[in-house]
């Protein structure tokens, strides 16, 4: 009898090692670009009466050595903390066997999202940052900031870190978490933006990173925008940069470029290409002629499926998680 594996936050964290995840996410980008993936558009259920929404993200991908399918069901409810002592964002991942549709696992999608988002930034950084990048700025010290540093330090020898956030307690917690491994300090947005690599992970709707603050050869991972109206980087940064996206439909709808794109300030001619095109070698990553580079990441369902694949395979090897008879096959 086959059983479904339940993997909670701790199980996901334990069984997803960042170097392997980065490789799996790169495989997912390649599969998507090569036509070996199916990823219907992210769908939304808007719940204004609860100041929240649900999002469904299904995907299938064939990476050659492995294939995988699944769907993530995730919410955004900003009032959850104050009203219900719950996280703003919660996700559940259903991971299925593509061959017979058996539900192999139910996973905590929140931890999975944090890990795969960091890994996606690492893939982009590996292709777009200067080879000798040693400093990293992070704007926003929330939960996403931790995996940004952990992932990007896998692809570049990061020594100096500047963390910027209006919440001093968050900054202190972030520094405490990493001070043993990096030369890390609090700093301004301008100081963070001067680093070799910059990750922005804020929910702002008015740009906070001005063009004049950004270093001449800084690579930026714009990770915060995930809904219409969100916008972290000044338009001039986007227009002056080698601009790389994860998916055209998602980035123009809810990514970093969504506001200037719909205002006509930025057009398709200003987009260099998709990260998948760079991964498969159809377009160049960083060249000697490049100055600022920007990766506009909205987060793709193929990333969740790839991350679930890594988590599940290692959980089976390590005998982690809780196996249960979801379909009631023992009664048949």
């Amino acid at each position: 009898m086959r059983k479904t594996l339940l993997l909670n936050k701790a199980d996901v964290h334990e069984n997803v090692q960042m170097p392997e995840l980065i490789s799996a996410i790169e495989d997912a980008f390649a599969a998507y670009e090569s036509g070996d993936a199916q990823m219907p558009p992210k769908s939304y259920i808007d719940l204004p009466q609860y100041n929240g929404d649900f999002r469904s993200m299904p995907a299938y991908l064939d990476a050659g050595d492995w294939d995988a399918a699944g769907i993530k069901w995730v919410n955004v409810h900003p009032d959850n903390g104050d009203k219900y002592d719950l996280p703003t964002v919660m996700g559940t991942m259903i991971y299925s066997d593509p061959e017979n549709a058996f539900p192999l696992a139910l996973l905590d999608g929140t931890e999975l999202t944090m890990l795969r988002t960091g890994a996606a930034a690492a893939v982009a950084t590996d292709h777009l940052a200067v080879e000798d990048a040693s400093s990293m700025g992070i704007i926003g010290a929330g939960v996403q900031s931790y995996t940004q540093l952990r992932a990007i330090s896998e692809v570049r020898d990061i020594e100096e870190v500047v963390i910027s956030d209006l919440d001093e307690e968050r900054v202190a917690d972030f520094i405490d978490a990493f001070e043993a491994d990096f030369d890390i300090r609090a700093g301004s947005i301008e100081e963070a933006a001067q680093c070799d690599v910059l990750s922005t992970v804020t929910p702002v709707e008015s740009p906070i990173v001005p063009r004049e603050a950004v270093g001449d050869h800084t690579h930026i991972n714009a990770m915060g925008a995930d809904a219409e109206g969100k916008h972290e980087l000044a338009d001039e940064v986007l227009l002056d940069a080698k601009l790389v996206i994860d998916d055209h439909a998602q980035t123009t709808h809810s990514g970093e470029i969504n506001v200037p794109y719909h205002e006509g300030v930025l057009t398709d001619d200003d987009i260099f290409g998709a990260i998948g095109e760079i991964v498969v070698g159809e377009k160049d990553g960083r060249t000697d002629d490049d100055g600022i580079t920007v990766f506009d990441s909205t987060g793709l369902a193929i990333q969740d499926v790839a991350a679930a694949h890594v988590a599940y395979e290692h959980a089976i090897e390590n005998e982690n998680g809780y196996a249960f008879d979801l379909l009631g096959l023992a009664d048949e």
Side-chain angles (χ1 to χ4, degrees):
M1 181 188 67
R2 299 187 68 176
K3 292 187 176 182
T4 301
L5 198 59
L6 181 64
L7 299 174
N8 65 16
K9 176 180 179 178
D11 295 326
V12 171
H13 185 83
E14 179 180 349
N15 290 287
V16 178
Q17 300 302 310
M18 191 57 75
E20 185 175 354
L21 178 59
I22 293 169
S23 178
I25 296 298
E26 189 165 44
D27 288 344
F29 284 137
Y32 187 47
E33 186 59 37
S34 301
D36 295 320
Q38 297 179 50
M39 188 178 67
K42 183 189 300 185
S43 63
Y44 291 79
I45 295 177
D46 192 28
L47 301 169
Q49 69 271 38
Y50 301 120
N51 188 27
D53 64 63
F54 287 111
R55 308 165 189 197
S56 63
M57 301 173 64
Y60 164 79
L61 70 95
D62 183 352
D65 294 335
W66 54 273
D67 67 346
I71 182 169
K72 185 172 73 174
W73 177 245
V74 62
N75 77 293
V76 177
H77 282 63
D79 298 335
N80 267 3
D82 293 336
K83 286 187 175 181
Y84 306 106
D85 194 28
L86 287 171
T88 296
V89 178
M90 294 175 284
T92 301
M93 184 76 191
I94 303 172
Y95 180 64
S96 301
D97 187 330
E99 184 175 0
N100 54 34
F102 185 83
L104 297 171
L106 299 176
L107 306 92
D108 170 45
T110 307
E111 181 72 13
L112 203 72
T113 299
M114 287 192 292
L115 291 167
R116 63 82 154 150
T117 302
V123 172
T125 300
D126 200 24
H127 287 278
L128 294 168
V130 293
E131 285 291 335
D132 61 350
S134 61
S135 60
M136 181 176 178
I138 304 174
I139 300 174
V143 292
Q144 289 283 2
S145 61
Y146 290 75
T147 52
Q148 288 294 304
L149 179 52
R150 290 185 180 122
I152 288 169
S153 62
E154 293 285 347
V155 299
R156 288 296 186 272
D157 187 14
I158 301 298
E159 299 174 359
E160 177 189 357
V161 179
V162 178
I163 179 71
S164 180
D165 194 298
L166 295 176
D167 189 323
E168 294 182 359
E169 184 176 348
R170 279 185 171 184
V171 170
D173 289 344
F174 187 88
I175 291 174
D176 286 345
F178 291 107
E179 61 184 352
D181 300 313
F182 302 95
D183 177 9
I184 185 169
R185 63 182 176 84
S188 64
I189 287 174
E190 289 74 16
E191 289 172 306
Q194 281 292 312
C195 293
D196 298 324
V197 179
L198 171 67
S199 284
T200 58
V201 281
T202 74
V204 299
E205 296 187 359
S206 182
I208 56 175
V209 181
R211 170 64 184 87
E212 60 271 17
V214 181
D216 292 339
H217 297 90
T218 297
H219 167 65
I220 304 173
N221 297 301
M223 314 301 289
D226 61 355
E228 290 182 83
K230 291 188 177 182
H231 191 17
E232 297 180 292
L233 310 178
D235 292 345
E236 293 77 13
V237 176
L238 298 170
L239 293 170
D240 286 353
K242 183 175 190 174
L243 177 59
V244 177
I245 61 176
D246 58 6
D247 176 72
H248 188 275
Q250 284 195 191
T251 53
T252 56
H253 175 267
S254 57
E256 177 58 32
I257 67 172
N258 84 91
V259 174
Y261 189 86
H262 287 288
E263 290 176 347
V265 174
L266 184 148
T267 69
D268 287 343
D269 290 338
D270 299 305
I271 300 172
F272 175 75
I275 186 64
E277 294 178 285
I278 294 175
V279 167
V280 301
E282 291 179 3
K283 292 190 175 181
D284 291 332
R286 175 166 285 276
T287 67
D288 292 339
D289 295 330
D290 289 333
I292 300 170
T293 55
V294 171
F295 174 51
D296 180 357
S297 172
T298 55
L300 306 181
I302 53 170
Q303 298 170 19
D304 297 308
V305 170
H309 167 75
V310 174
Y312 176 76
E313 293 299 323
H314 285 293
I316 293 295
E317 292 172 5
N318 298 328
E319 298 183 350
N320 293 144
Y322 170 71
F324 66 109
D325 184 17
L326 176 66
L327 300 185
L329 298 179
D331 299 328
E332 297 182 359

